[in-house]
Structures are given as structure tokens and as C-alpha cells.
Amino acid sequence: MIGFSLSEDQEQLRARARAFAETEIKPAAAHHDRTGEFPIEIMQKAFDAKLMSEGIPKEYDGPGLSNLDAALMTEELGAACMGIGTCIMANSLALAPIILFGGAAQKERYLRPHARAFRIAAFALTEREAGSDAGAAKTTAVRDGDHYVINGDKCFCTNGGFADFYVVFASTNPDRGPLGMSAFIVERDMGVEVGKAEDKMGQRASNQVELHFRDVRVPTENLLLKEGRGFQVAMGTLDRTRAGTAAGAVGIARRALEEAVKYANERVQFGAPIVKNQAIQFKLADMAMKVEAARLLAWQAAWMADHGVRQTKEAAMAKCYAGDVAMEVTTEAVQILGGRGYSREYPVEKLMRDAKLMQIYEGTQEIQRLVIAREVAKGR
Ligand code: COS
């Protein structure tokens, strides 16, 4: 059986997320884009509206939303401002390894407080010399009695400047590459130093920082899963979160299409609205097709995750296709608006800048294609 209709609860969630995005995010988007100010008050409101940390299970006092629910919600955030959407979503990326791989005591200690009060967590995988090649990370964790001592540097850590704990990937056995990596929950006040913040082209509301670890002592009970299983934690987490990232990209693309349709209906040239021109109609048709196809891929990957079906390939397909669609559709929207599209007075140039990051973060498009190709080659 296959169906594309949403349940009543899902329709309500989507309507609630859309109303929140329209009233709280959209009006603030240009300000945060211009200033790069971190939208902490909006995030607090999103948390109060149960639109943040949404994956924390109900048994830990969280909203307990499914992956498909999260995708519906994230599309709405992306349509309003993906910079702010990323700030909200990044909490889910940091909490996912604990939800998926944490032990009961770790869940109690780190999920319940995040469900009960507004707090920020961050996922620290990337390093200067280990971006796409995540398994080449140089940060180390050395066992010392009932602690691990972590040394190294991370970068591009989203929300890292405001987090009170981090999921950090460090090598406990550097000779074994990816298979020597381990994952740890590291509280900021264990000694994490926050470094330089990135000054970015788009998604300027979001915060990406360097993190420095100098003899940071972490209790052994903060090791996730087991020594040497950190890469599996990282990959398993990214498999799970990529459907949501894809949905955010769909949101950007949908908004660009909406802006282009509005403008094409209003803008009169040669005595008629430009929407009457076949050149514009074909662009709008292609944009609409791509938005729908990207949404279906995102929903499929989310649905598979909700039903416990392996979705490494489908999550990578969704993230890759939706990221490319966001870039293509926003570029076409700028073209349809012409000079006004290029001007900061209209929202589409921001959508185009925001879209670019969807082809880069949570694994570049090239890495997604690599993951898809490996899965396809194995006959999956
Ligand atoms: N789920 C669970 N475990 C996985 C996995 C997955 N999807 N993919 C890999 N692993 C585990 C496996 O245990 C694997 O060992 P086996 O092949 O023996 O089973 C091990 O990890 C090593 O995997 P692999 O050999 O594929 O590692 P590579 O070094 O070749 O790298 C890529 C794999 C390129 C896919 C990985 O480095 C990657 O995803 N890079 C991008 C990182 C990223 O997305 N960064 C964004 C930052 S987060 S915002």
C-alpha cells in the first residue's frame, strides 16, 4: 500500500510550523541575514512551540516527533529563513547520536534536560584537514583511568558558540583511521574553548565556530556506544538527519518558486504580465517539478527511517537532489525577477545565497553521490 496524504496530526503540525515560520521567522530573516546576529530569542520561542529538539522521545519528556514530522516542520522553517532553520535543526543533529546510540543513563542526563528547558547542543565532527574525509580526523582521546583526555581542534561546528554540550568525534586508535574513532558527549564547562566564528555568504543567522580541546577530561561514562564505533555513530546520525536537511532545501526552493510566481503575475512588460510568456512558464514548470520531486525523496527517506528500513542511499539521494534543486530553483527565481532579483530589496538573492550551503553542509553533494554510488554498486 502506498499513500501520499498526511494524517490530521501531521496537517496540524505543518500548519503550526507554517504559522510560526510566518510570524516569528520570516519578518526577522532580513535582519539576521544583514547582521549575522544569532537568533536565540526565536530559537527559544521555537522550543516553547515544540518545534525544536523535536526528536527527543516522549519518555524523556520530548515532543517525540517522527522523521516525517520533522521533515514537514523543517520545510516550513526553510521557506521562512534557512539560516534560522539551521540554528533550530542543528540541535536535532547533536541530539540524534544520543537518541540513536546513547545508553539509558546518557539519555537521562542529556536528553531530559534538553526536553524540559531551552538549551543548545552541537555536533563536532569536521576538522580543518578532515572535512569530506571525516575518518581522517586528528583529534585524539586517550584513556586515563576513569576519564578520556581529548586534544585537538574542530571547525564549522554549527551552534558551537552557544552550546552547553557537544558530541565530539575523536580517535582512540589513530592507526585504525575511521575504525579508530570514538564519540563522546563533552560538556562545555569540561574545558572546551570556543574559537573564531565564520563570516559566511549565506545562512548568516547560523553560527559556525572553531572549537579547541586542550587536555579536556571527559568521564568514561560519556563515551557513546563503544570505543572504535564513533564513525558508525557519525554515519548513522547523518543517514538519519539528511532527510530533514533535504526538507529544509525543499523549503528554500518552494519559497523561491512562490516569490517567482508572485512576481511573474505582477510584472507587466510588453503590455502583459510576464507569466504569459512561454519562456517564464517553462521555467516555472521546471521549478515546480523539481520542488515536488525533491519533497517526495525527502519524505521517502524520512518514512524509511521511521519504519526502521535502511535508508543510507535514499537519505543521500534526498539530500543531494534537494540541495541541487534549491540552488537551481533559487537561481531561476533570481533570473525571473531580473534586476530586482539581484537586489537586496527582494528576498530571492538571499534564498540563492542560503541555498548554496545546502550543497555543502551535512556532506557535500560529491560525498552524497559517492555514498549513493557505493550503495548502488552493492546492489542496494
Ligand atoms: N552507517 C553506519 N556505519 C557506517 C556507514 C553508515 N552509513 N558508513 C560507513 N560506516 C562505518 C562502517 O563500519 C565502515 O566499515 P565497514 O565498511 O567495514 O563496514 C566504516 O564506517 C568505514 O566506512 P568507509 O570505509 O565507507 O569510510 P570512508 O573513509 O571511505 O568514508 C565517507 C566514507 C566518505 C562516506 C565519509 O567520510 C563521509 O560521510 N564523509 C562526509 C562527512 C560529512 O558528511 N560531514 C559533514 C559534517 S556534519 S555537519
Side-chain angles (χ1 to χ4, degrees):
M1 193 178 88
I2 189 161
F4 293 98
S5 57
L6 300 177
S7 70
E8 207 174 301
D9 284 352
Q10 286 167 329
E11 292 285 9
Q12 279 172 9
L13 169 73
R14 182 159 69 170
R16 202 157 57 73
R18 186 168 296 185
F20 180 86
E22 287 286 326
T23 53
E24 301 293 343
I25 301 182
K26 213 173 180 182
H31 168 79
H32 289 277
D33 179 50
R34 206 170 45 249
T35 60
E37 197 182 295
F38 193 64
I40 197 140
E41 285 167 17
I42 298 173
M43 292 167 74
Q44 165 89 59
K45 286 183 187 167
F47 174 83
D48 293 341
K50 295 196 183 310
L51 298 173
M52 187 171 161
S53 308
E54 75 290 338
I56 298 181
K58 287 199 166 111
E59 59 180 304
Y60 292 98
D61 300 330
L65 295 193
S66 69
N67 290 281
L68 185 53
D69 293 339
L72 298 173
M73 189 192 100
T74 310
E75 179 179 327
E76 301 309 322
L77 304 181
C81 172
M82 196 59 207
I84 297 173
T86 288
C87 298
I88 294 171
M89 269 173 60
N91 235 42
S92 311
L93 174 65
L95 297 173
I98 304 174
I99 295 170
L100 293 171
F101 303 104
Q106 292 169 335
K107 289 182 178 175
E108 192 60 51
R109 183 169 167 92
Y110 293 102
L111 294 184
R112 202 180 296 284
H114 268 250
R116 287 189 173 168
F118 170 65
R119 286 163 182 233
I120 296 174
F123 184 84
L125 173 66
T126 302
E127 300 183 5
R128 285 273 164 224
E129 306 307 325
S132 289
D133 187 5
K138 295 278 179 293
T139 297
T140 56
V142 176
R143 179 89 186 242
D144 179 22
D146 55 3
H147 283 76
Y148 285 91
V149 182
I150 299 187
N151 277 289
D153 304 283
K154 296 286 175 184
C155 63
F156 296 122
C157 178
T158 299
N159 285 354
F162 298 86
D164 56 25
F165 79 76
Y166 305 87
V167 173
V168 178
F169 297 86
S171 188
T172 39
N173 190 346
D175 296 338
R176 296 205 69 208
L179 300 179
M181 279 173 80
S182 303
F184 300 90
I185 307 168
V186 183
E187 294 176 21
R188 185 182 186 134
D189 59 15
M190 288 172 179
V192 182
E193 291 164 35
V194 175
K196 174 174 95 66
E198 300 297 331
D199 184 7
K200 306 184 302 298
M201 168 203 253
Q203 301 207 18
R204 290 177 49 75
S206 73
N207 167 263
Q208 281 82 17
V209 294
E210 291 180 347
L211 298 177
H212 308 295
F213 300 81
R214 300 286 173 263
D215 292 330
V216 173
R217 294 180 68 79
V218 179
T220 49
E221 64 255 27
N222 283 25
L223 172 70
L224 276 168
L225 216 54
K226 273 186 174 169
E227 264 195 32
R229 304 286 288 275
F231 203 67
Q232 195 186 335
V233 171
M235 296 298 113
T237 298
L238 292 169
D239 279 353
R240 196 50 78 88
T241 55
R242 279 176 181 149
T245 306
V250 172
I252 300 177
R254 187 192 91 204
R255 171 80 182 284
L257 173 62
E258 288 165 0
E259 296 291 340
V261 167
K262 182 165 171 277
Y263 188 82
N265 276 303
E266 286 166 7
R267 174 72 172 161
V268 174
Q269 287 290 275
F270 305 105
I274 62 171
V275 76
K276 300 284 180 201
N277 298 331
Q278 207 173 53
I280 300 294
Q281 290 171 358
F282 283 5
K283 279 191 196 299
L284 294 177
D286 284 340
M287 291 157 80
M289 274 192 280
K290 288 174 181 176
V291 170
E292 293 280 335
R295 181 184 292 122
L296 291 178
L297 278 178
W299 284 11
Q300 172 182 254
W303 183 93
M304 288 173 81
D306 287 335
H307 288 78
V309 182
R310 181 187 165 94
Q311 35 73 278
T312 300
K313 181 184 77 180
E314 288 77 6
M317 284 178 165
K319 193 275 174 188
C320 187
Y321 186 72
D324 286 349
V325 161
M327 198 65 238
E328 290 159 11
V329 170
T330 55
T331 305
E332 285 295 61
V334 169
Q335 190 65 23
I336 291 171
L337 271 76
R340 293 195 171 95
Y342 202 66
S343 162
R344 293 228 159 143
E345 216 181 310
Y346 286 76
V348 290
E349 63 81 32
K350 172 184 179 296
L351 292 170
M352 188 175 162
R353 286 185 286 111
D354 289 353
K356 188 64 208 166
L357 192 52
M358 308 312 288
Q359 296 184 301
I360 297 172
Y361 74 9
E362 279 212 40
T364 62
Q365 305 305 75
E366 292 73 20
I367 289 296
Q368 306 309 322
R369 288 184 167 88
L370 192 98
V371 170
I372 296 163
R374 284 182 182 183
E375 291 290 299
V376 169
K378 285 179 195 155
R380 287 182 182 139

